[in-house]
Amino acid sequence: MSKLFRFGVSLDKDLLDKFDRLIRVKNYPNRSEAFRDLIRQELVKKQWEDDKEIAGAIILIYDHHRRKLINKLTDIQHDFQKMIISTQHIHLDHNNCLEIIAVKGNPKEAQKLTDTLKSVKGVKHGTLSMSSTGKEIE
Ligand code: NI
């Protein structure tokens, strides 16, 4: 970790009160940790915007009984095999499957993979959690 710096932040009282309420609800131990998290959030956002190497997770919910759909989802994942680092399949109940696809690589490719999977008929819900490889956000 690099050297720790302290700096002052001037805030409107109302805004500070709102921030303090927020960090209590979110269980941050103090303002500094909450502030660091907000900064990292923005840095990760910028990594996605700037086409840097990213990591993330795609979550899909789909109908277990549609066999063609499962084959199609597998075909798509083979086409994007270079960026998929892990896939986890969970049988949610008799009818529904949840799949978590961990990805690492180019943000546009991650978005394209998500959109392609989501658009397959029978996928009930799909979402992309945009995160970071952890580099350059310390
Ligand atoms: Ni299943």
Side-chain angles (χ1 to χ4, degrees), residues 64 89-91 96-97:
H64 160 75
H89 183 104
I90 295 129
H91 313 300
N96 295 292
C97 298

mmCIF file of all heavy atoms in Angstrom, residues 64 89-91 96-97, ligand 1:
data_model
loop_
_atom_site.group_PDB
_atom_site.id
_atom_site.type_symbol
_atom_site.label_atom_id
_atom_site.label_comp_id
_atom_site.label_asym_id
_atom_site.label_seq_id
_atom_site.Cartn_x
_atom_site.Cartn_y
_atom_site.Cartn_z
ATOM 1 N N HIS A 64 -35.137 -24.312 -16.964
ATOM 2 C CA HIS A 64 -34.389 -25.577 -17.014
ATOM 3 C C HIS A 64 -34.934 -26.540 -18.068
ATOM 4 O O HIS A 64 -34.198 -27.353 -18.628
ATOM 5 C CB HIS A 64 -34.440 -26.225 -15.621
ATOM 6 C CG HIS A 64 -34.159 -27.674 -15.620
ATOM 7 N ND1 HIS A 64 -32.881 -28.172 -15.790
ATOM 8 C CD2 HIS A 64 -34.972 -28.757 -15.497
ATOM 9 C CE1 HIS A 64 -32.933 -29.501 -15.754
ATOM 10 N NE2 HIS A 64 -34.180 -29.874 -15.578
ATOM 11 N N HIS A 89 -23.213 -23.327 -12.218
ATOM 12 C CA HIS A 89 -24.624 -23.587 -12.492
ATOM 13 C C HIS A 89 -25.311 -24.013 -11.201
ATOM 14 O O HIS A 89 -24.841 -24.910 -10.512
ATOM 15 C CB HIS A 89 -24.730 -24.689 -13.544
ATOM 16 C CG HIS A 89 -26.126 -24.973 -13.942
ATOM 17 N ND1 HIS A 89 -26.654 -24.526 -15.140
ATOM 18 C CD2 HIS A 89 -27.120 -25.640 -13.320
ATOM 19 C CE1 HIS A 89 -27.910 -24.926 -15.210
ATOM 20 N NE2 HIS A 89 -28.216 -25.599 -14.121
ATOM 21 N N ILE A 90 -26.406 -23.351 -10.901
ATOM 22 C CA ILE A 90 -27.147 -23.690 -9.675
ATOM 23 C C ILE A 90 -28.586 -24.037 -10.054
ATOM 24 O O ILE A 90 -29.258 -23.273 -10.762
ATOM 25 C CB ILE A 90 -27.128 -22.501 -8.682
ATOM 26 C CG1 ILE A 90 -25.688 -22.240 -8.217
ATOM 27 C CG2 ILE A 90 -28.014 -22.767 -7.473
ATOM 28 C CD1 ILE A 90 -25.253 -20.832 -8.345
ATOM 29 N N HIS A 91 -29.068 -25.178 -9.605
ATOM 30 C CA HIS A 91 -30.461 -25.556 -9.851
ATOM 31 C C HIS A 91 -31.296 -24.886 -8.766
ATOM 32 O O HIS A 91 -31.323 -25.341 -7.621
ATOM 33 C CB HIS A 91 -30.621 -27.070 -9.790
ATOM 34 C CG HIS A 91 -29.569 -27.806 -10.567
ATOM 35 N ND1 HIS A 91 -29.390 -27.628 -11.924
ATOM 36 C CD2 HIS A 91 -28.623 -28.696 -10.173
ATOM 37 C CE1 HIS A 91 -28.398 -28.391 -12.331
ATOM 38 N NE2 HIS A 91 -27.904 -29.045 -11.289
ATOM 39 N N ASN A 96 -36.214 -23.648 -12.522
ATOM 40 C CA ASN A 96 -35.301 -22.530 -12.789
ATOM 41 C C ASN A 96 -33.836 -22.826 -12.481
ATOM 42 O O ASN A 96 -33.517 -23.429 -11.460
ATOM 43 C CB ASN A 96 -35.734 -21.309 -11.979
ATOM 44 C CG ASN A 96 -37.084 -20.802 -12.405
ATOM 45 O OD1 ASN A 96 -37.235 -20.296 -13.513
ATOM 46 N ND2 ASN A 96 -38.077 -20.958 -11.544
ATOM 47 N N CYS A 97 -32.992 -22.331 -13.383
ATOM 48 C CA CYS A 97 -31.544 -22.435 -13.194
ATOM 49 C C CYS A 97 -30.964 -21.037 -13.029
ATOM 50 O O CYS A 97 -31.458 -20.070 -13.624
ATOM 51 C CB CYS A 97 -30.883 -23.060 -14.408
ATOM 52 S SG CYS A 97 -31.422 -24.726 -14.739
HETATM 53 NI NI NI B 1 -30.163 -26.322 -13.445
#
